[in-house]
Amino acid sequence: MSNAWIRIYHRLPQPCRSAAAAVWGFRLRFWRYGPESEQLVTEALQRDYWQPQQWEKWRAERLGYVLHRAATRVPYYREQWEMRRRRGDRASWDRLENWPVLKKEMVRANPRAFVADDCDPRRMFHDHTSGTTGSPLSVWLNRNTVRAWYALFEARCRRWYGVSRFDRWGILGGRLVTPADQRKPPFWVWNPALNQLYLSSYHLAPDLTPYYLEALARYRIQYLLGYTSSLCALAQAALRTGRRSLPLRVIVTNAEPLLPHQRQMISEAFQCPVRETYGMTEIVAAATECEWGRLHLWPEAGRVEILEHDNPVQPGACGDIVATGLLNADMPLIRYTTGDRGALAANNIPCSCGRLLPVLASVDGRADDLLYAADGRQIGRMDPVFKSDLAVREAQIIQETLGTVRVRYVPAAGFTDRSANTIIEAIRSRLGPVEVLLESVPQLPREPNGKFRAVICRIPPEQRPDGQRCGSELTSTLV
């Protein structure tokens, strides 16, 4: 949704915002679900118990199709293979190891070149992401792919936990469903098409969180999904006020690491299990936590490799998570660097949950800092600032004081004063009337592992509004 539409939406009275959310929700429901959805969910749950040889056969067939389509119908890959042929390279494209590792920067620079030439992006679902690097990236999917993905989500992010999309649920996310400077509820919008209460993650100041708890009760929410830091702030409010009348069936975290103390706090506050997920908008890899605390990969989403300097490592060893998407054959990403590091399980010991899906032993990524508003709000996941089609290659947000935020960015062709103002507006819409300093740089500094932190908070802990550190500032390992 463009910034112009967002500004119009924010000027609407609350009933009209709810109507607009409903219209958007019905559009999403059309894309995500159809008459075939329940059968797709049933089949996904059955595949949870497939033997490894069944998965090998299924994935070999699917991978062969994806690789052939990529090499013959996708402009970027076709050109690469033609160049290799002209140089006398006779490597076969039907073997995954013959494909080079694909850096995120290549996709971000020209995403349309990765869409198959028999597809019309105007008729596809267009999504945006900035991932863990603060770099905007576009993804296109056809309706069958979207529905296949959401069937997997329904099976493994809901049915595993005894809930479904037909239950009333809440999500704490990064969309500005209400203006950030609004100080009176509602800080949410009800989306009847998806049975969803969308709660702003930008209004979780200590004096406002009780309103969120009241909304959960009023809308009879059965389960919650959201950023770990936002769920943690909500849990703190429930514990602080002694409110124990909000038992939920499950809470599902996404987009940020879940640390042990956070899990304990959230579980205690809402008297339910807390489950962790791993995934990305590019839908090349995904994993969900079972009741025994292990992250099971979704083999249908992609083929995951763990590489160090582009070479495979032994199971159990940590390296870069590189994935080949198997669902989206219309915009295939082959050996795509996700920007995260992790490890596959070192052995094939079956999980106590009984499912035979492979296990992601650890994930080392998504380490964005929290930022702080002067009124005590903790702001996590600032990547929506760069989700629009801005002419920015990379960006980094640094909070130097409560009133000062520096944005370092690598401009792309077409960056204008209007682009700069868009970034400033987006930052202020989330943090309030802060001073935003824009700094154009040729390249952003990297960490020793080759990545850079997209969001950095330099305010000393003792100077932060609530004096607490609910969120994660350091990359953590999920076990």
Side-chain angles (χ1 to χ4, degrees), residues 6-187:
I6 291 175
R7 286 193 292 270
I8 294 172
Y9 166 82
H10 284 165
R11 295 192 189 105
L12 297 174
Q14 180 60 30
C16 293
R17 288 186 207 164
S18 296
V23 171
W24 182 252
F26 279 110
R27 177 182 182 273
L28 292 179
R29 192 173 76 178
F30 167 79
W31 275 95
R32 294 176 180 178
Y33 308 109
E36 74 278 22
S37 292
E38 197 59 33
Q39 180 61 31
L40 293 175
V41 172
T42 300
E43 292 171 356
L45 293 172
Q46 292 172 346
R47 289 194 297 271
D48 290 349
Y49 302 94
W50 272 12
Q51 296 293 326
Q53 57 268 30
Q54 289 176 282
W55 276 119
E56 282 303 315
K57 181 177 184 297
W58 183 92
R59 292 208 296 179
E61 293 176 356
R62 183 64 182 177
L63 179 62
Y65 169 72
V66 171
L67 295 183
H68 183 270
R69 181 165 172 75
T72 59
R73 301 309 303 259
V74 177
Y76 173 84
Y77 296 119
R78 186 170 57 211
E79 180 180 341
Q80 296 299 310
W81 281 102
E82 289 174 353
M83 291 175 59
R84 293 175 69 169
R85 291 290 181 264
R86 289 195 294 269
R87 293 196 302 263
D89 187 344
R90 297 304 173 189
S92 174
W93 65 51
D94 60 2
R95 298 181 65 86
L96 184 61
E97 60 267 27
N98 291 337
W99 292 68
V101 171
L102 176 65
K103 303 300 183 183
K104 192 183 293 279
E105 290 79 7
M106 299 302 298
V107 184
R108 187 181 62 246
N110 188 10
R112 289 285 187 106
F114 290 84
V115 179
D117 56 15
D118 57 355
C119 296
D120 182 356
R122 295 172 299 180
R123 298 180 180 274
M124 302 172 75
F125 189 85
H126 185 203
D127 209 347
H128 299 274
T129 179
S130 69
T132 58
T133 63
S135 308
L137 186 148
S138 290
V139 178
W140 286 272
L141 313 93
N142 69 33
R143 189 164 63 181
N144 289 338
T145 300
V146 174
R147 289 183 175 180
W149 172 256
Y150 276 93
L152 294 175
F153 183 90
E154 178 71 14
R156 297 182 183 139
C157 283
R158 290 192 176 114
R159 302 296 173 90
W160 279 19
Y161 310 139
V163 296
S164 80
R165 66 186 177 93
F166 302 107
D167 295 313
R168 301 169 73 89
W169 63 294
I171 178 170
L172 275 161
R175 291 190 181 275
L176 286 169
V177 293
T178 191
D181 59 358
Q182 183 172 312
R183 300 300 299 169
K184 294 182 179 180
F187 306 112

Side-chain angles (χ1 to χ4, degrees), residues 219-230:
Y219 284 91
R220 306 189 306 280
I221 298 304
Q222 298 295 304
Y223 63 98
L224 272 175
L225 181 147
Y227 301 156
T228 304
S229 56
S230 298

Side-chain angles (χ1 to χ4, degrees), residues 454-471:
V455 179
I456 300 172
C457 180
R458 290 180 175 166
I459 304 174
E462 64 274 11
Q463 296 180 17
R464 296 173 185 179
D466 60 355
Q468 300 185 46
R469 296 276 298 279
C470 177

Side-chain angles (χ1 to χ4, degrees), residues 150-260:
Y150 276 93
L152 294 175
F153 183 90
E154 178 71 14
R156 297 182 183 139
C157 283
R158 290 192 176 114
R159 302 296 173 90
W160 279 19
Y161 310 139
V163 296
S164 80
R165 66 186 177 93
F166 302 107
D167 295 313
R168 301 169 73 89
W169 63 294
I171 178 170
L172 275 161
R175 291 190 181 275
L176 286 169
V177 293
T178 191
D181 59 358
Q182 183 172 312
R183 300 300 299 169
K184 294 182 179 180
F187 306 112
W188 48 81
V189 63
W190 174 252
N191 184 344
L194 299 177
N195 295 314
Q196 176 198 78
L197 183 67
Y198 200 108
L199 302 118
S200 167
S201 63
Y202 298 107
H203 293 78
L204 289 167
D207 61 322
L208 301 181
T209 45
Y211 295 116
Y212 284 74
L213 301 178
E214 293 172 7
L216 296 180
R218 185 165 67 253
Y219 284 91
R220 306 189 306 280
I221 298 304
Q222 298 295 304
Y223 63 98
L224 272 175
L225 181 147
Y227 301 156
T228 304
S229 56
S230 298
L231 292 166
C232 193
L234 203 58
Q236 284 181 324
L239 295 173
R240 184 177 64 250
T241 59
R243 184 151 189 171
R244 290 292 191 274
S245 60
L246 294 169
L248 299 174
R249 294 163 68 180
V250 69
I251 288 180
V252 182
T253 70
N254 70 353
E256 296 172 347
L258 175 64
L259 303 181

Side-chain angles (χ1 to χ4, degrees), residues 237-295:
L239 295 173
R240 184 177 64 250
T241 59
R243 184 151 189 171
R244 290 292 191 274
S245 60
L246 294 169
L248 299 174
R249 294 163 68 180
V250 69
I251 288 180
V252 182
T253 70
N254 70 353
E256 296 172 347
L258 175 64
L259 303 181
H261 76 278
Q262 295 172 319
R263 186 193 296 272
Q264 181 179 354
M265 179 188 301
I266 297 169
S267 179
E268 179 184 353
F270 296 105
Q271 306 168 55
C272 69
V274 182
R275 303 297 182 213
E276 188 168 29
T277 64
Y278 172 74
M280 60 206 68
T281 303
E282 299 97 311
I283 66 169
V284 296
T288 37
E289 184 184 16
C290 72
E291 58 269 31
W292 286 85
R294 304 187 80 188
L295 276 172

